[in-house]
Amino acid sequence: MLEEYLKRVFNDERPSHNAARRVAEHIVSGDVDAETAGKFLATLAREGETIPEIGGFMETIKKDRLKIDLGAPAGDVCGTGGGRRARFNTSTVVALVAAAAGCPVAKLCGGGSQAKNGSINFVEAIGCNVAGLDELLREAFRRFNLCYLDARRFLPALVHFREARKFAKCRTVINLAAPLCNPALIDYRLLGTTDKETAQILASILSTYPGLKRAWVVVGNNGVDELTVLGVSRIYVVENGRFAQTHFHPRLLGAGVRQGVPCWGNAHKNARK
């Protein structure tokens, strides 16, 4: 099945939403070997994922999603990652700062597909217990405006893509679909990605989300998936079923432009910082 879809993608015949969903279901069920699945994911990434393809994978991921009721809506902040860079876990720390400032955050935490540098790896490295019962997560959310939700637990379908993502050796459709599948009720989002084309696609998807009040999809200077002080960042503001582009410059916060890309390390090195 995947070989046939690979041929179609090479001939610019992109899978529909239902076709992408069926492919994802075959990968989750183990009907396809990891190498072939990885080749398919890499091909989609090389050609640029479409809204129907991302939507099909999202539907499959959400099928077995374990929802959690935190008692109130929350915000989420994350990046699509997959850039294979050794960098600081910015969104995970931003969640801490936002919560301390009074903004409720239910941060969905995933693991790195190529290395142990994902948000869940960082959270575990700083000693947070993310394996707690739902009641403990609700208590943390109530007391501290923050809980970290382990994607491995709440989105069990993701484990079935792990080996295929290793074979793909690049950012895949899973990086784009999974962050949009938070198991809590999310009404505000800050989502970072690495290029404007992907940002526009993600903003378009978010513009259809029921219950979402506002979202920013951001692209940092030099292809980082976050707002940066390296130069001008693009922001796609999603609100009222539409999105519009604006820009952010560090001088708006009284900061100057820094040179170079700050590199840190894996999650354990970042935790020690």
Side-chain angles (χ1 to χ4, degrees):
M1 178 185 180
L2 284 195
E3 295 293 348
E4 177 61 30
Y5 280 122
L6 278 171
K7 293 177 183 177
R8 293 184 184 182
V9 172
F10 280 127
N11 292 327
D12 204 26
E13 298 176 28
R14 305 306 297 266
S16 65
H17 175 106
N18 287 335
R21 174 182 52 78
R22 287 194 296 270
V23 169
E25 288 173 347
H26 278 286
I27 297 173
V28 169
S29 65
D31 295 339
V32 186
D33 68 272
E35 185 173 2
T36 302
K39 185 187 297 184
F40 179 80
L41 297 180
T43 301
L44 290 187
R46 185 167 57 251
E47 300 298 318
E49 295 89 347
T50 65
I51 290 176
E53 291 162 0
I54 297 171
F57 274 80
M58 285 173 58
E59 184 177 344
T60 299
I61 293 170
K62 286 181 176 180
K63 184 178 179 180
D64 297 321
R65 176 177 58 175
L66 305 177
K67 292 187 177 181
I68 181 170
D69 182 3
L70 296 174
D76 190 9
V77 51
C78 63
T80 57
R84 298 174 68 84
R85 292 178 175 177
R87 291 214 324 274
F88 192 65
N89 299 92
T90 304
S91 65
T92 316
V93 175
V94 167
L96 279 168
V97 175
C103 301
V105 179
K107 164 98 173 111
L108 181 63
C109 296
S113 61
Q114 306 294 328
K116 290 185 177 297
N117 58 0
S119 54
I120 196 66
N121 308 117
F122 178 80
V123 168
E124 290 176 333
I126 62 176
C128 289
N129 177 17
V130 292
L133 300 174
D134 287 5
E135 189 55 43
L136 294 178
L137 294 172
R138 279 190 283 268
E139 177 66 10
F141 182 74
R142 184 187 67 80
R143 292 180 60 190
F144 306 117
N145 276 334
L146 174 67
C147 64
Y148 289 113
L149 305 176
D150 187 347
R152 299 169 301 187
R153 174 188 170 198
F154 288 98
L155 304 178
L158 293 184
V159 69
H160 301 287
F161 295 104
R162 185 179 299 160
E163 293 304 314
R165 296 173 73 187
K166 290 180 180 178
F167 274 107
K169 297 180 180 179
C170 64
R171 191 276 291 143
T172 72
V173 65
I174 307 303
N175 293 81
L176 310 181
L180 303 178
C181 298
N182 194 305
L185 179 60
I186 301 298
D187 56 359
Y188 290 93
R189 287 182 180 270
L190 175 59
L191 177 61
T193 193
T194 56
D195 61 85
K196 66 177 183 180
E197 291 78 16
T198 303
Q200 290 170 347
I201 287 174
L202 295 174
S204 181
I205 293 172
L206 286 172
S207 69
T208 68
Y209 262 48
L212 184 68
K213 294 179 179 178
R214 201 172 203 222
W216 279 12
V217 184
V218 303
V219 182
N221 183 274
N222 203 27
V224 294
D225 59 343
E226 57 210 23
L227 293 177
T228 78
V229 292
L230 303 175
V232 177
S233 300
R234 296 175 185 267
I235 302 174
Y236 296 88
V237 181
V238 182
E239 197 170 21
N240 298 322
R242 298 184 296 273
F243 69 90
Q245 180 181 320
T246 185
H247 295 85
F248 165 81
H249 194 286
R251 67 167 172 264
L252 294 173
L253 300 178
V257 175
R258 291 188 58 180
Q259 300 298 317
V261 179
C263 287
W264 295 67
N266 60 31
H268 289 277
K269 290 181 179 178
N270 291 341
R272 289 197 296 270
K273 297 289 186 179

